[in-house]
Amino acid sequence: MKSRKLLACIVLLGSLVSCSGNNDGSRNSQLSFGQKIKLKQYKVQGELLYAQHCGNCHQPDGSGLGKLIPPLTSIASGQDNRNKTICTIKYGVEGPLVVEGTQYDGKMPANLQLTNLEIAEILTFVGNSWDNSIGIVRSSEVEESLANCQ
């Protein structure tokens, strides 16, 4: 009985990965089956966390709010940008910031209550939504980035 439930879960997860099309971008199409499942899990959990902690300001579609709050629709995949984004999610940011050629001068509050895994899930969701494709952000990467925040 347990093995049939496990098999059903594996088949369901496999169908989610294979039926989802290739909307995870070309970088993510090279992932193994297990990595694709992990990416889906992080994206689902990240979407819930994004809605709870980020969506009110950055909007459900990541478009931001006019000239007050920057959009998240074009997250760059460079490691330097990922490190800054991780630090910003955890510790917030204040002062001038230029995103897509527009200057924003506001304050994003810290999210000190978020765990490394939750930050990884949020960034995985954002980084693989709205035409972004940065792949999986692991909690170990978040831990390393947070240790080097300035």
Side-chain angles (χ1 to χ4, degrees), residues 42 45-46 49-50 53-54 82-92 108 110-127 134 136-143 145-146 149:
Y42 272 43
Q45 187 60 29
L49 290 163
Y50 176 86
H53 298 282
C54 316
R82 283 170 73 142
N83 292 338
K84 288 177 185 173
T85 303
I86 289 167
C87 293
T88 299
I89 291 171
K90 184 73 169 192
Y91 299 115
M108 180 179 141
N111 291 285
L112 299 174
Q113 77 284 3
L114 292 175
T115 66
N116 293 351
L117 177 59
E118 290 170 329
I119 292 170
E121 291 167 337
I122 290 169
L123 191 51
T124 298
F125 166 69
V126 170
I134 67 169
I136 299 170
V137 178
R138 302 190 185 290
S139 59
S140 58
E141 178 183 346
V142 172
E143 181 178 4
S145 292
L146 292 176
C149 290

Side-chain angles (χ1 to χ4, degrees), residues 29-101:
S29 66
Q30 311 250 336
L31 298 174
S32 71
F33 179 75
Q35 291 170 322
K36 286 181 181 180
I37 289 174
K38 186 171 199 147
L39 176 65
K40 293 285 182 190
Q41 290 172 329
Y42 272 43
K43 282 177 64 177
V44 167
Q45 187 60 29
E47 184 173 16
L48 295 172
L49 290 163
Y50 176 86
Q52 182 179 0
H53 298 282
C54 316
N56 283 344
C57 295
H58 291 284
Q59 305 305 299
D61 65 354
S63 63
L65 187 59
K67 292 193 177 203
L68 297 174
I69 299 169
L72 303 175
T73 51
S74 64
I75 296 290
S77 60
Q79 189 60 46
D80 205 35
N81 190 46
R82 283 170 73 142
N83 292 338
K84 288 177 185 173
T85 303
I86 289 167
C87 293
T88 299
I89 291 171
K90 184 73 169 192
Y91 299 115
V93 67
E94 188 172 353
L97 175 70
V98 177
V99 177
E100 296 179 16

